[in-house]
Structure formats: structure tokens, C-alpha cells
Amino acid sequence: VQRWILHADLDAFYAAVEQLDNPELRGKPVIVGGPPEARAVVTTASYEARPYGVRSAMPMGRALRLCPHAVRVSPRFDRYAEVSRAVMGIFRSVTDLVEPLSLDEAFLDISEAAAGPGGAEGVARAIKQRVRDETGLTVSIGLAANKSAAKVASDMRKPDGLVAVPPGGEAEFLAPLPMRVLWGVGPKAGQALLDAGFRTVGDIAAAAPGRIESLLGSRGAMLQAMARGIDERPVEASQERKSVGAENTFPHDLPDGPELREELRRVALGAAVRLQEKRLRCRTVVLKLRYAGFKTITRRASRPYPIDDPAEILQQAESLLRAVLKEEDRFRLIGVQCTNLVGGQLGQLSLFSAAR
DNA sequence: TCTGGGGTCCTAGGACCC
DNA sequence: TCTGGGGTCCTAGGACCC
């Protein structure tokens, strides 16, 4: 039986939700992100804004200079999460094998449904129609026999696209594309590969054995396999969370003092509350600091037993901060991350039984 | 142009135990 | 001839993704 993986990617998701909720924004360039004074970046640009060169992760000040008549909207993550739940619900009505990658993206294993009369494309078209009818959003879909090819395919005809890679044709489909489309090839790896003379996915596929590994380390083998259309990773419907954190960039750099301590308090409590909401405890607290010059450091401390008390987490973070502070330091960001997680209830129980 | 906030995974060195 | 190796845990930094 043919394996079919579907990758779904909602188009300009946050901006599309804003346009949906506020009809005045429809047809206009919309940029979701904080204000330039807050040193924010673009979270999502609507398709109307993209011709001006506005892109995700771009500093907001620059984005608004490129597209001065754009409407800037601060993100409303709770609302996006709500819409996301509705969309994931539609996905789950097709198959239990849904792996969300973020609020706006998911892998589905639709092998079973694709064996029906409409085939994989029929399933994809039905999903697109239901998402449009029930939420008003458009979704781009890629279909292939594996995850990496499906993901690349979903990106090829955005927005509102549907691209199916014929089974067995994965390598041929990928070969002419720039290698940067492969998952895991970012700016650094991309440059290293380019310097070595590799330009397309096909170049990676055809490289001599061990060549890619010598450039990129252990990821090389996996990358070359993906370039050849081989990727056996299953769709994983549930994955264990590894960390919960909160961080904040300040509008202006801050020296040590009451303001910095208050910011630390806010992120530590924010992380702790979300930890408790998820019924988790952590054994390790990580403090993250970004200096005015953008250099970023982390310092961590582990305890013998897991904690979730906000006061305790804050205390850990404060003691880590005291240990690194120097008189002349100024900071642009502070963050707290809770890691080494254990389930709240279970952690208690196992600790209890271990103590007996 | 002046660089977010939420994450995951990997590497490498050191401590410690057997 | 003060020398080995494996396993595990911890820490810090960095690449990458959305």
C-alpha cells in the first residue's frame, strides 16, 4: 500500500487571521509584529505586503520604511491558537496521525484515506475546501511519499497551492531546487555547501560518499538521503515537551537595578505559570542574557528534585544572575527557561516511592 | 536594517563511577 | 611507565525551524 504524507501550511497565517477578524484589513498590506520602538521584528507579512520586500524576522522599522502604508498589528497569540485548534480539528477528522509543527503547520499520514476513490489529491482538496468553508483561511498542501518531499512541495505554489509528488519521483522533483529548501540547511550549512561547490539538491544527492558528512558532520548522511528522496521518518502524533520558557527584549538596554530585576521576575513567573498549566515540573532552570552588544549567554542550575513553584524558579534565576553580573554590564534581553521536565503528578509519585 | 519569542537537536568538555 | 575505557549526567554554545 502506497504511503502518502501530507504537509499543510496555512498561508500568512497570523496576518490572514487579522484580516479575517477585521474586514477593513482585507486587501491591504498587513504586518503582524510589535512596534519598532520596542525593537520588534516582523512575525508575519500578508501577501499584499510581500511585494514591497517585507519578510518574516525583518526589523519592524525597516519593514515599515519599505511599506509605509502597511497596517501594523500587534500579535494576538491566544486568538491564533484558537483558530489553529479548529484547523487541526479538521485534520484530525481525516486521520489520527497528525503531527503539528507549529500553530500553522502539520504533517498528516493519509495513507489510509488516500486508498479511497479520490486518492491523495482528493483528500487534499477536501481538506482545503473544509478549511476555507469553516475558517475562511487558505492552506497550501504538499503531497509525497515522505515528510521532506511533502514539506518542500507545500512551499512551491503558495498561497493556496496543491503540489503532489508522484511516488518514486521524489529525487527527480527535488533535484533542480536550491539546496536551501532542504529542512535543516540554514545560512551556515548553506554557505558551507556553496563554498564546496554544491548548489542544488541534485548536487547533494550526487555527492561522493562521506563528502557531505565531512562538511556538515553527522547530519550529512541524513541530508543526502533526503536529497535522494529517502526519508522514512514516521508522522508522530504526540511528542514529549522538553522545555518551557519565556524571554523579553527591552525597548532600551538596561543596567542592573530594580527595572532589570522586575523584568527577570516577569519572565520567571511567566515561565512558571505555563509550566504549571501544563502540569509539569522542572529540575533545571536556565537564565538567558543578551548584552547590549548582542552577545548572548546562558547559565543553568539543576536541582536534585523537580520544582514548579514560581518563587523557587525566580530564586534560582536570581542567583544565576548575581553570579554573572558585572558593574558595567547593560542588557537588551532576559529570559528564563525550565528544562529537564517531569510530569507533575508522576514526578511526585516516583519521588515518593524512591524516598521509601 | 540593526537584529523577537517560542522551541528542538547536536557537540564538546568535564566530573564521577565502575 | 600514574594509566584505560565505557557510561551517565551536567554545562555552554550554536545551528536551525516557524
Side-chain angles (χ1 to χ4, degrees), chain A residues 39 62 65 218 242-243 245 247 249 274 332:
Chain A
R39 306 202 275 199
R62 184 181 180 207
R65 274 192 292 279
S218 66
K242 303 284 172 47
S243 70
E247 63 183 61
T249 294
R274 291 193 20 243
R332 69 140 53 208

Coordinates of all heavy atoms in Angstrom, one line a residue, chain A residues 39 62 65 218 242-243 245 247 249 274 332, chain B residues 1-11:
Chain A
R39 N 11.7 47.5 19.4 CA 12.8 46.7 18.8 C 12.2 45.4 18.3 O 12.9 44.4 18.4 CB 14.0 46.5 19.7 CG 14.5 47.9 20.2 CD 15.9 47.8 20.7 NE 16.1 47.4 22.0 CZ 17.2 47.5 22.7 NH1 18.2 48.2 22.2 NH2 17.4 47.1 23.9
R62 N 12.5 48.7 9.6 CA 12.8 48.6 8.2 C 11.6 48.2 7.4 O 11.3 48.7 6.3 CB 13.9 47.5 8.0 CG 14.3 47.4 6.6 CD 15.4 46.3 6.4 NE 15.7 46.3 4.9 CZ 16.1 45.2 4.3 NH1 16.3 44.1 5.0 NH2 16.4 45.2 3.0
R65 N 9.4 51.1 6.7 CA 10.0 52.0 5.7 C 9.8 51.5 4.3 O 9.6 52.2 3.3 CB 11.5 52.2 6.0 CG 11.8 53.3 7.0 CD 13.3 53.7 7.0 NE 14.1 52.7 7.6 CZ 14.3 52.4 8.9 NH1 13.6 53.2 9.8 NH2 15.0 51.5 9.3
S218 N 27.5 14.8 11.4 CA 26.6 13.7 11.4 C 25.3 13.9 10.6 O 24.7 12.9 10.3 CB 26.4 13.2 12.8 OG 25.6 14.2 13.5
K242 N 10.1 19.3 25.9 CA 11.4 19.2 26.5 C 11.7 20.4 27.4 O 12.5 20.4 28.3 CB 12.5 19.1 25.4 CG 12.3 17.9 24.5 CD 12.7 16.6 25.3 CE 12.5 15.3 24.5 NZ 12.8 15.3 23.1
S243 N 11.0 21.6 27.1 CA 11.3 22.8 27.8 C 10.2 23.8 27.7 O 9.3 23.7 26.8 CB 12.6 23.4 27.4 OG 12.4 24.0 26.1
G245 N 9.7 28.1 28.4 CA 10.4 29.3 28.8 C 9.7 30.6 28.4 O 8.7 30.5 27.8
E247 N 10.9 34.9 27.5 CA 12.0 35.8 27.4 C 11.5 37.1 26.9 O 10.4 37.2 26.3 CB 13.1 35.3 26.5 CG 12.7 35.1 25.0 CD 13.8 34.5 24.2 OE1 14.3 33.4 24.5 OE2 14.2 35.2 23.2
T249 N 12.7 41.1 25.2 CA 13.7 42.1 24.8 C 13.2 43.5 25.2 O 12.0 43.8 25.0 CB 13.9 42.1 23.2 OG1 14.5 40.9 22.8 CG2 14.7 43.3 22.8
R274 N 3.2 28.9 33.0 CA 3.0 28.0 31.8 C 3.4 26.5 32.2 O 2.8 25.6 31.7 CB 3.7 28.5 30.6 CG 3.0 29.8 30.1 CD 3.4 30.3 28.7 NE 3.9 29.2 27.9 CZ 5.2 29.3 27.4 NH1 5.9 30.3 27.7 NH2 5.6 28.3 26.7
R332 N 20.0 43.8 26.8 CA 18.8 44.1 25.9 C 17.7 43.0 26.1 O 16.6 43.2 25.7 CB 19.3 44.2 24.5 CG 19.7 43.0 23.8 CD 19.3 42.9 22.3 NE 19.6 44.1 21.6 CZ 18.8 44.6 20.6 NH1 17.8 43.9 20.1 NH2 19.2 45.7 19.9
Chain B
dT1 P 19.9 51.1 5.7 OP1 20.2 50.0 4.9 OP2 20.4 52.4 5.6 O5' 18.7 51.0 6.8 C5' 17.6 50.2 6.5 C4' 17.4 49.2 7.6 O4' 17.9 47.9 7.3 C3' 18.1 49.6 8.9 O3' 17.2 49.8 10.0 C2' 19.1 48.5 9.2 C1' 18.4 47.3 8.5 N1 19.3 46.3 8.1 C2 19.4 45.1 9.0 O2 18.7 45.0 10.0 N3 20.3 44.2 8.6 C4 21.1 44.2 7.5 O4 21.9 43.3 7.2 C5 21.0 45.4 6.6 C7 21.8 45.5 5.4 C6 20.1 46.3 7.0
dC2 P 17.7 50.6 11.4 OP1 16.5 51.2 11.9 OP2 18.9 51.4 11.1 O5' 18.1 49.4 12.3 C5' 17.2 48.3 12.5 C4' 17.9 47.3 13.4 O4' 18.9 46.7 12.6 C3' 18.5 47.8 14.6 O3' 18.4 46.8 15.6 C2' 20.0 47.9 14.2 C1' 20.1 46.6 13.4 N1 21.3 46.3 12.6 C2 21.9 45.1 12.7 O2 21.4 44.2 13.5 N3 23.0 44.8 12.0 C4 23.5 45.8 11.2 N4 24.5 45.4 10.5 C5 22.8 47.0 11.1 C6 21.8 47.3 11.8
dT3 P 17.0 46.8 16.5 OP1 16.2 48.0 16.2 OP2 17.4 46.5 17.9 O5' 16.3 45.5 15.8 C5' 16.3 44.4 16.5 C4' 16.6 43.2 15.6 O4' 17.8 43.5 14.8 C3' 17.0 42.0 16.4 O3' 15.9 41.3 16.8 C2' 17.9 41.3 15.5 C1' 18.6 42.4 14.7 N1 19.9 42.7 15.3 C2 21.0 41.8 15.1 O2 20.8 40.8 14.5 N3 22.2 42.2 15.7 C4 22.4 43.4 16.4 O4 23.5 43.6 16.8 C5 21.3 44.3 16.5 C7 21.5 45.5 17.3 C6 20.1 43.9 16.0
dG4 P 15.9 40.6 18.2 OP1 16.2 41.6 19.2 OP2 16.6 39.4 18.0 O5' 14.3 40.3 18.3 C5' 13.3 41.3 18.5 C4' 12.1 40.7 19.1 O4' 11.5 39.9 18.1 C3' 12.4 39.8 20.3 O3' 11.3 40.0 21.2 C2' 12.5 38.5 19.7 C1' 11.6 38.5 18.5 N9 12.0 37.8 17.3 C8 13.3 37.9 16.8 N7 13.4 37.1 15.7 C5 12.2 36.5 15.6 C6 11.7 35.6 14.6 O6 12.3 35.2 13.6 N1 10.4 35.3 14.8 C2 9.6 35.7 15.8 N2 8.4 35.3 15.9 N3 10.0 36.6 16.8 C4 11.3 36.9 16.6
dG5 P 11.4 39.3 22.6 OP1 10.5 40.1 23.5 OP2 12.8 39.0 22.9 O5' 10.6 37.9 22.4 C5' 9.3 37.9 22.1 C4' 8.8 36.5 22.0 O4' 9.3 35.9 20.8 C3' 9.4 35.5 23.1 O3' 8.3 34.7 23.6 C2' 10.5 34.8 22.4 C1' 9.9 34.7 21.0 N9 10.9 34.5 20.0 C8 12.2 35.0 19.9 N7 12.8 34.6 18.8 C5 11.9 33.8 18.2 C6 12.1 33.1 16.9 O6 13.0 33.0 16.2 N1 10.9 32.4 16.6 C2 9.8 32.4 17.4 N2 8.7 31.7 16.9 N3 9.6 33.0 18.5 C4 10.8 33.7 18.9
dG6 P 8.5 33.8 24.9 OP1 7.3 34.1 25.7 OP2 9.9 33.9 25.4 O5' 8.4 32.3 24.2 C5' 7.2 31.9 23.8 C4' 7.4 30.7 22.8 O4' 8.2 31.2 21.7 C3' 8.2 29.6 23.4 O3' 7.3 28.7 24.1 C2' 8.6 28.9 22.1 C1' 8.7 30.1 21.1 N9 10.0 30.3 20.6 C8 11.0 31.2 21.2 N7 12.1 31.2 20.5 C5 11.9 30.4 19.5 C6 12.7 30.0 18.4 O6 13.9 30.4 18.1 N1 12.1 29.1 17.5 C2 10.8 28.6 17.7 N2 10.4 27.8 16.7 N3 10.0 29.0 18.6 C4 10.6 29.8 19.5
dG7 P 8.0 27.5 25.0 OP1 6.9 27.0 25.8 OP2 9.3 28.0 25.6 O5' 8.3 26.4 23.9 C5' 9.6 25.8 23.8 C4' 9.8 25.3 22.4 O4' 10.2 26.4 21.6 C3' 10.8 24.2 22.3 O3' 10.2 23.0 22.6 C2' 11.3 24.4 20.9 C1' 11.1 25.8 20.6 N9 12.3 26.6 20.6 C8 12.7 27.6 21.5 N7 13.9 28.1 21.2 C5 14.2 27.5 20.0 C6 15.4 27.6 19.2 O6 16.3 28.4 19.3 N1 15.3 26.8 18.1 C2 14.3 25.9 17.8 N2 14.4 25.2 16.7 N3 13.2 25.7 18.5 C4 13.3 26.5 19.6
dT8 P 11.2 21.7 23.0 OP1 10.3 20.6 23.4 OP2 12.2 22.2 24.0 O5' 11.9 21.4 21.7 C5' 11.2 20.9 20.5 C4' 12.2 20.5 19.5 O4' 13.0 21.6 19.1 C3' 13.2 19.4 20.1 O3' 13.3 18.3 19.3 C2' 14.5 20.2 20.1 C1' 14.4 21.3 19.1 N1 15.1 22.4 19.6 C2 16.2 22.9 18.8 O2 16.5 22.3 17.8 N3 16.9 23.9 19.3 C4 16.6 24.6 20.5 O4 17.3 25.6 20.8 C5 15.5 24.1 21.2 C7 15.1 24.7 22.5 C6 14.8 23.1 20.7
dC9 P 14.1 17.0 19.9 OP1 13.4 15.8 19.3 OP2 14.4 17.2 21.3 O5' 15.5 17.2 19.1 C5' 15.6 17.4 17.7 C4' 17.0 17.7 17.4 O4' 17.4 19.0 17.8 C3' 18.0 16.7 18.0 O3' 18.9 16.2 17.0 C2' 18.8 17.6 19.0 C1' 18.7 19.0 18.4 N1 18.7 20.1 19.4 C2 19.7 21.1 19.2 O2 20.4 21.1 18.2 N3 19.8 22.1 20.1 C4 19.0 22.1 21.2 N4 19.1 23.0 22.1 C5 18.0 21.0 21.4 C6 17.9 20.0 20.5
dC10 P 19.9 15.0 17.4 OP1 19.9 14.0 16.3 OP2 19.7 14.6 18.8 O5' 21.3 15.8 17.4 C5' 21.7 16.5 16.2 C4' 22.9 17.3 16.5 O4' 22.7 18.4 17.4 C3' 24.0 16.4 17.2 O3' 25.2 16.4 16.4 C2' 24.2 17.1 18.6 C1' 23.7 18.5 18.4 N1 23.2 19.1 19.6 C2 23.7 20.3 20.1 O2 24.7 20.8 19.5 N3 23.2 20.8 21.2 C4 22.2 20.2 21.8 N4 21.8 20.8 23.0 C5 21.6 19.0 21.4 C6 22.1 18.5 20.2
dT11 P 26.4 15.4 16.9 OP1 27.0 14.9 15.7 OP2 26.0 14.5 18.0 O5' 27.4 16.5 17.6 C5' 27.7 17.7 16.9 C4' 28.6 18.5 17.7 O4' 27.9 19.2 18.8 C3' 29.7 17.7 18.4 O3' 31.0 18.3 18.3 C2' 29.3 17.6 19.9 C1' 28.5 19.0 20.0 N1 27.5 19.0 21.1 C2 27.5 20.0 22.0 O2 28.2 21.0 21.9 N3 26.5 19.9 22.9 C4 25.5 18.9 23.1 O4 24.7 19.0 23.9 C5 25.6 17.9 22.1 C7 24.7 16.7 22.2 C6 26.6 17.9 21.2

